Amino acid sequence: MSWSCGRVVLAAACLIWLSGCETSTKLGDLFHSKPDDQATSALADATAPDPATTGSVGSPPAPDDGLLGSDPSDDLALGKKQYRAGNFGVAERYFRRAVEFHPRDAEAWVGLAASYDRLRRFDLADRAYDQAVAIIGPTPEVLNNRGYSYMLRGDYRRARSTLLAAAAKDPKNPYIRNNLDLLDKSFRGGKAVQ
């Protein structure tokens, strides 16, 4: 009898702890990526004054705004670190753990989707993007990353419509503009973005 009471108390304590762990829905440059090459980076470095890379849009979150990831040893922060280092398989594991523990964390879902894109697991990337959209809606950041995902697949029609939807929401965003330019160059050259 005392064993089941202890389990109930433990479960209640976990739920109370988890209720305080949800993150803000602000998304910025999620990973401050180190591009493989200027034209094909999946996520951009927000510190660059003129972003020549593509991917997540700029403006990192305000300092100390309560986002999960402020602790350098949490799964989200470790996922970002591994993603920036180009260790996409390891990043995927951290992001997957982050979404398992915090299923309403849109930033973790976008990180997971971006990792799946780099691992060329587009079926899983689509699921992760769907989860992010269900949490925060079709923000310019999510649409931009999803459009880039379609470019990686060589699906120019869906990439164009998705990136144009992102541009309609944030027309001055340089990352979205760069992705549209990259799409035009790839389409004219007949090459898929790698």
Side-chain angles (χ1 to χ4, degrees), residues 27-30 41-44 51 53-58 110 114 117 129 133 137-152 158-170 173-183:
L27 294 174
D29 179 16
L30 299 176
S41 172
L43 300 169
T53 58
T54 60
S56 293
V57 294
V110 172
D117 281 339
Y129 284 125
V133 168
T139 64
E141 294 88 356
V142 175
L143 290 171
N144 182 53
N145 282 10
R146 194 168 220 174
Y148 189 78
S149 177
Y150 292 140
M151 273 198 296
L152 289 173
R158 283 172 53 184
R160 182 174 242 4
S161 67
T162 305
L163 289 170
L164 288 174
K169 290 179 181 259
D170 191 0
N173 187 296
Y175 297 97
I176 297 170
R177 298 278 9 130
N178 284 342
N179 273 340
L180 284 167
D181 291 344
L182 180 61
L183 176 65

Side-chain angles (χ1 to χ4, degrees), residues 69-157:
S70 58
D71 176 7
S73 64
D74 71 20
D75 291 327
L76 182 60
L78 292 170
K80 290 178 189 181
K81 181 179 178 180
Q82 293 300 319
Y83 191 94
R84 284 190 299 266
N87 301 325
F88 305 116
V90 177
E92 179 270 337
R93 282 195 305 256
Y94 282 120
F95 287 128
R96 190 168 17 97
R97 278 191 5 200
V99 300
E100 288 169 357
F101 288 112
H102 308 285
R104 302 283 306 156
D105 186 349
E107 189 176 15
W109 281 109
V110 172
L112 183 62
S115 297
Y116 283 141
D117 281 339
R118 298 305 294 252
L119 295 171
R120 306 196 69 71
R121 291 299 314 268
F122 300 121
D123 56 330
L124 297 174
D126 285 339
R127 288 188 203 173
Y129 284 125
D130 289 342
Q131 289 294 324
V133 168
I135 295 167
I136 59 171
T139 64
E141 294 88 356
V142 175
L143 290 171
N144 182 53
N145 282 10
R146 194 168 220 174
Y148 189 78
S149 177
Y150 292 140
M151 273 198 296
L152 289 173
R153 306 171 202 196
D155 189 346
Y156 297 123
R157 181 178 298 157

